[in-house]
Amino acid sequence: MRALRPPQHPVIIMTESATHLLPVFARADLAFARGEGCWLIATDGERYLDFTSGVAVNALGHAHPTLVAALQEQATKLWHMSNLFKSPDGERLAARLCEQSGFADFVFFANSGAEAMECAIKVTRKHHAAKGSPERYRIITFEGAFHGRTLATLAATGSQKYLEGFGPPVEGFDQVPLGDLDAVKKIIGPHTAGILIEPIQGEGGVRAPSHTFVKSLRELCDQHSLLLVFDEVQTGMGRTGELFAHRRFGVSPDVMSLAKALGGGFPIGACLATANAAAGMTPGSHGSTFGGNPLAVAAANAVLDVMLKPGFFEHVQQMSLLLKQKLASVVDRHGDILADVRGEGLLIGVKAVVPSGDLVAALREEKLLTVGAGDNVVRFLPPLIVSAAEIEESVARLERACVALSANQSKRAAAQ
């Protein structure tokens, strides 16, 4: 009998300069040694204006003195002690978040946005099971959404490009077009548990639902005893000019996820919920080894200390207006490169005419860091402490990038 040969797999040959990091990121050939406020200094000494903020994470910029001091002090005391014991600083942070949210009674601390969303999904399902309706587990989500990279949050996102190759998607999510209220009404059924929405879709192209639509979702949830879940991982913690984006709608969710800017760069996520929504979350129903870690809690409390000072959000709103006005003027002058400006606060998207990746690369050549999104959009996500002078500088660099892209287009046209 012929022996079976083992399956053949591609062999990755590592060179001396190759990385041992799993190649799941298309990394730019650029590395940074340190940061100062809104600036990053590369390993070769070049200074870059950072309008990526670690994808909306470094809300207070780099090396903010309040955050540095908080982490240095905590590092000399306690790094980890397990959630088997009380956390006075964690309880203080949870109380502050609940008070500021205007709706929440409880907080669960995690390590990332995806984990915060996993908790939100579990809270939503467990709520109905605790109420005697375990068949109610399905959650309505929206096209263009992005909720994370775990198997459940990928299923909630519903994008085929993220799901491909990972087997059958986690069951229990029904996706409809953003803004289509009739589609939402039609899909609500006896197994529906809740509705999950981002106040603004960041990854999806800085797309915002109307106030009327969000208010109608709240009404539908109340009518059908569903939970309304807001994913504020990117929009929360000041990014839209308010501490939480849901304030813009005058609507409160039952469950809300936070992460990114919550720790100002230190990994921490949070799931906030009303007492009613969290009715099923009893001891042993959820957990985390590192969630609410003392270092993360210290960073998050320091972030709140800064953001809750008088004038902080007024500054964000002023810088937002300035940035949008300046960007709109560049769009007017370079209609062959740029199409429009969208967004709220300092979550700003510029829809490109050229491929958005080309615009991101051209801006990087001008030492301005931005990040792409869906719908051929480039996101401008400066730290919330950005100055008017730095906004002026970013727009000047965008102008130069547009000129360079226009020149390249002309050269290609002449060569054809």
Side-chain angles (χ1 to χ4, degrees):
M1 184 176 178
R2 187 176 179 182
L4 294 175
R5 296 180 62 189
Q8 300 299 302
H9 299 288
V11 176
I12 300 175
I13 300 174
M14 304 295 290
T15 65
E16 286 188 10
S17 61
T19 176
H20 289 274
L21 294 172
L22 194 67
V24 295
F25 293 104
R27 300 177 190 267
D29 187 17
L30 185 59
F32 297 103
R34 58 191 176 89
E36 300 169 352
C38 294
W39 297 84
L40 282 168
I41 295 86
T43 50
D44 63 2
E46 290 280 1
R47 292 173 63 86
Y48 287 76
L49 187 51
D50 183 12
F51 272 41
T52 298
S53 297
V55 192
V57 168
N58 301 102
L60 303 183
H62 301 281
H64 191 285
T66 300
L67 270 66
V68 171
L71 278 174
Q72 286 178 333
E73 180 182 357
Q74 185 60 46
T76 66
K77 296 178 179 178
L78 187 65
W79 286 28
H80 182 74
M81 79 295 183
S82 169
N83 284 308
L84 296 172
F85 307 101
K86 285 189 172 183
S87 169
D89 290 337
E91 290 175 10
R92 175 173 174 260
L93 176 60
R96 297 175 81 186
L97 289 172
C98 285
E99 179 184 4
Q100 292 298 322
S101 75
F103 78 91
D105 299 299
F106 296 112
V107 179
F108 176 85
F109 290 119
N111 307 290
S112 67
E115 288 183 45
M117 276 309 312
E118 285 277 346
C119 181
I121 291 166
K122 290 178 72 173
V123 166
T124 303
R125 292 183 170 192
K126 191 75 168 179
H127 166 84
H128 291 285
K131 300 284 186 180
S133 301
E135 75 281 359
R136 301 185 71 176
Y137 68 96
R138 303 193 70 84
I139 297 174
I140 298 169
T141 63
F142 296 92
E143 293 175 4
F146 183 83
H147 297 298
R149 297 279 191 169
T150 63
L151 288 175
T153 55
L154 281 178
T157 295
S159 173
Q160 199 56 43
K161 72 175 182 178
Y162 296 131
L163 288 165
E164 185 178 355
F166 295 110
V170 173
E171 174 68 1
F173 299 95
D174 299 306
Q175 197 167 67
V176 298
L178 182 66
D180 190 337
L181 191 61
D182 288 337
V184 176
K185 291 178 180 178
K186 288 177 182 176
I187 209 163
I188 292 174
H191 300 292
T192 306
I195 300 174
L196 167 61
I197 189 169
E198 297 163 283
I200 298 178
Q201 290 185 346
E203 292 285 337
V206 193
R207 300 165 66 226
S210 71
H211 288 215
T212 300
F213 180 71
V214 176
K215 288 179 179 178
S216 296
L217 294 183
R218 177 72 272 175
E219 292 169 1
L220 283 174
C221 286
D222 293 339
Q223 179 183 347
H224 295 279
S225 298
L226 310 176
L227 296 186
L228 180 60
V229 184
F230 278 4
D231 178 346
E232 291 229 31
V233 168
Q234 185 162 158
T235 60
M237 301 307 296
R239 181 51 58 180
T240 64
E242 303 269 3
L243 186 60
F244 305 119
H246 69 260
R247 292 179 177 177
R248 298 172 52 248
F249 299 106
V251 169
S252 293
D254 301 295
V255 185
M256 178 175 73
S257 60
L258 297 173
K260 288 192 180 288
L262 178 58
F266 200 98
I268 182 171
C271 177
L272 284 66
T274 65
N276 176 57
M281 303 307 288
T282 53
S285 60
H286 195 49
S288 171
T289 296
F290 293 108
N293 168 283
L295 290 168
V297 165
N301 269 316
V303 168
L304 276 178
D305 289 343
V306 175
M307 289 190 176
L308 296 180
K309 287 182 179 178
F312 183 87
F313 295 113
E314 287 80 358
H315 171 79
V316 176
Q317 292 159 12
Q318 291 167 4
M319 294 303 100
S320 169
L321 181 60
L322 177 63
L323 179 57
K324 286 194 282 190
Q325 288 174 339
K326 295 292 183 180
L327 290 174
S329 69
V330 181
V331 171
D332 289 341
R333 290 191 296 275
H334 296 280
D336 60 327
I337 305 298
L338 310 175
D340 65 48
V341 179
R342 57 180 69 167
E344 296 290 338
L346 291 173
L347 172 51
I348 305 298
V350 177
K351 186 173 175 62
V353 176
V354 299
S356 59
D358 291 353
L359 179 57
V360 170
L363 290 169
R364 192 163 57 239
E365 286 295 315
E366 297 297 334
K367 309 296 189 294
L368 175 63
L369 303 177
T370 57
V371 59
D375 200 27
N376 205 44
V377 163
V378 173
R379 278 173 288 176
F380 283 63
L381 303 168
L384 305 185
I385 59 167
V386 66
S387 68
E390 287 163 334
I391 284 177
E392 294 278 3
E393 181 61 32
S394 74
V395 174
R397 295 180 186 212
L398 172 61
E399 185 91 39
R400 294 198 295 270
C402 288
V403 170
L405 287 168
S406 293
N408 289 340
Q409 284 187 329
S410 297
K411 288 179 182 177
R412 283 196 293 267
Q416 289 175 351

